Amino acid sequence: MTQQPVTTVHLTAPATRIVTTELRTADHTTETGGILLGHHTHDTITVHHAGTPGPAAVRTPTFFLRDLAHAQALADEAFANDGSVWVGEWHTHPTSRPIPSARDAATYGQLLNDPELGFHSIIAVIFARHAGRWEGAAWACRLGRIEPVRMQISSSTG
């Protein structure tokens, strides 16, 4: 059965806590990020787990590549705990807006076209600095299209 197109991304409080901690503590001159794990139900992706970059991540002002072993360990743990699967990625754009770059779009296209991964869609949550604060936007990537979607962020304080 084909899943409905994504219209909403919901970051749960535990996922929000991981992302906000990384945003607060990371070097703001280089990109950072991690994987997003959760469930796609109807038109909503609920993110239960967010990853950090990991110790072997590659970070530059305009590029981020997560630590694959670190991401895989988180994915294995999340799947064992609650059945969460890889639904997308989050990262920062410290020198631009929270919209997918051409490099981002190419990466999402590669992921969607990899038959071993079996993605129907993938989400991207991108954060950028504006006026000293992080602003975020969510994007759904599907069938060669990248479209903005609504993002719900649950409070990390409860």
Side-chain angles (χ1 to χ4, degrees), residues 5-107:
V6 176
T7 63
T8 303
V9 172
H10 173 220
L11 295 178
T12 63
T16 300
R17 198 168 18 261
I18 294 298
V19 172
T20 56
T21 297
E22 181 67 17
L23 291 175
R24 188 174 54 254
T25 60
D27 173 0
H28 294 164
T29 64
T30 61
E31 289 193 7
T32 190
I35 62 171
L36 298 173
L37 302 151
H39 299 97
H40 185 165
T41 306
H42 305 293
D43 65 346
T44 300
I45 288 186
T46 302
V47 177
H48 296 285
H49 310 273
T52 58
V58 177
R59 298 176 57 199
T60 76
T62 59
F63 178 76
F64 167 74
L65 179 62
R66 70 198 170 285
D67 177 336
L68 297 176
H70 178 76
Q72 186 63 58
L74 176 62
D76 291 345
E77 181 181 345
F79 185 77
N81 286 340
D82 63 15
S84 287
V85 297
W86 185 21
V87 293
E89 305 202 347
W90 76 272
H91 72 281
T92 61
H93 283 179
T95 60
S96 65
R97 298 178 3 175
I99 60 174
S101 66
R103 180 181 286 162
D104 294 335
T107 298

Side-chain angles (χ1 to χ4, degrees), residues 69-152:
H70 178 76
Q72 186 63 58
L74 176 62
D76 291 345
E77 181 181 345
F79 185 77
N81 286 340
D82 63 15
S84 287
V85 297
W86 185 21
V87 293
E89 305 202 347
W90 76 272
H91 72 281
T92 61
H93 283 179
T95 60
S96 65
R97 298 178 3 175
I99 60 174
S101 66
R103 180 181 286 162
D104 294 335
T107 298
Y108 306 144
Q110 289 173 340
L111 294 172
L112 287 165
N113 288 322
D114 186 332
E116 288 185 29
L117 296 176
F119 280 118
H120 292 100
S121 61
I122 188 167
I123 59 162
V125 176
I126 302 173
F127 293 91
R129 298 280 291 175
H130 178 72
R133 296 181 53 119
W134 289 104
E135 293 181 350
W139 303 86
C141 312
R142 180 183 173 101
L143 305 173
R145 300 178 68 177
I146 300 176
E147 300 175 323
V149 295
R150 188 171 96 119
M151 184 165 55
Q152 298 173 329

